[in-house]
Amino acid sequence: MARVIHVFRAPDRFIAGTVGQPGDRTFYLQASEQSRLISVALEKQQVQVLAERIGSLLEEVNRRFGTDVPDEAPPDDLDTQPLDVPVEEEFRVGTMGLGWDAESKAVVIELLAVSEEEVDEAVVLDDTEEGPDAVRVFLSPSAARAFAERADRVINAGRKPCPLCAEPLDADGHICPRQNGYRRTEED
């Protein structure tokens, strides 16, 4: 079957969001343009890495090409709305690609579906017929900065870290390795 590549050259929205309670959240990236809406699921760490790499890419683009890149997202670009519903997972992300399109002065993000076969690097950011399905999004530098800032907020909106070991706390607390599993009770 032929590969499907969903391309968003001027998305109305490209955001990170979650469904579920902290500790049991599913992370999504959602792109919309006019009446098209695509949602892909991925791991929290993938969202975190993508946000960090976008920041690094914007710094490099500014340094190397002199492109105007905002230090912070303009208030007009910040999107605080929830994911559009219904959230229907198109696929789960396996490989991600990130690049700069000098012609359109846009950050290019490509999200490839998890695949049984090993993904060849040449497939990323390419229109070859063979390979996993993909979502390709083009973002202006300010929209990319806004995406990264929102992604950071979404990641940090989870469970609070333990003050001793920095592991996430459940609603009932947790067994902290820094206390050798000892938990104080009211009798102590």
Side-chain angles (χ1 to χ4, degrees):
M1 193 162 97
R3 176 181 190 205
V4 177
I5 302 174
H6 305 275
V7 179
F8 293 84
R9 290 212 174 268
D12 301 321
R13 284 181 95 191
F14 181 63
I15 59 169
T18 62
V19 173
Q21 296 299 313
D24 192 29
R25 299 185 294 171
T26 302
F27 286 78
Y28 291 95
L29 295 182
Q30 196 173 68
S32 63
E33 187 174 13
Q34 297 170 357
S35 62
R36 291 190 315 145
L37 176 67
I38 296 285
S39 301
V40 294
L42 67 171
E43 298 297 323
K44 177 181 180 179
Q45 291 79 9
Q46 288 175 298
V47 176
Q48 189 170 17
V49 166
L50 184 58
E52 290 169 2
R53 297 284 164 83
I54 286 173
S56 298
L57 176 68
L58 290 173
E59 290 171 15
E60 182 68 17
V61 164
N62 176 267
R63 185 183 67 74
R64 212 189 267 184
F65 303 112
T67 303
D68 187 29
V69 174
D71 292 332
E72 291 182 2
D76 294 347
D77 286 347
L78 293 176
D79 187 338
T80 57
Q81 298 300 309
L83 293 169
D84 290 328
V85 291
V87 178
E88 296 176 358
E89 180 181 316
E90 185 74 19
F91 58 79
R92 180 159 283 283
V93 174
T95 304
M96 299 185 298
L98 183 63
W100 174 252
D101 182 17
E103 187 176 308
S104 63
K105 294 191 180 196
V107 172
V108 183
I109 300 167
E110 184 157 293
L111 311 161
L112 280 71
V114 171
S115 175
E116 298 285 324
E117 298 96 41
E118 191 171 319
V119 176
D120 183 11
E121 245 177 59
V123 172
V124 181
L125 300 172
D126 195 11
D127 293 333
T128 61
E129 289 288 321
E130 298 299 317
D133 290 352
V135 172
R136 187 177 301 150
V137 181
F138 291 76
L139 298 174
S140 68
S142 62
R145 181 74 73 196
F147 169 84
E149 287 179 16
R150 178 186 170 121
D152 285 338
R153 283 194 314 276
V154 167
I155 290 163
N156 294 321
R159 298 175 287 173
K160 299 291 180 216
C162 172
L164 298 175
C165 69
E167 291 293 319
L169 290 171
D170 293 323
D172 304 337
H174 79 130
I175 298 174
C176 182
R178 298 277 311 268
Q179 293 181 334
N180 291 330
Y182 178 75
R183 192 183 312 191
R184 290 182 181 240
T185 61
E186 290 182 25
E187 293 97 38
D188 288 341

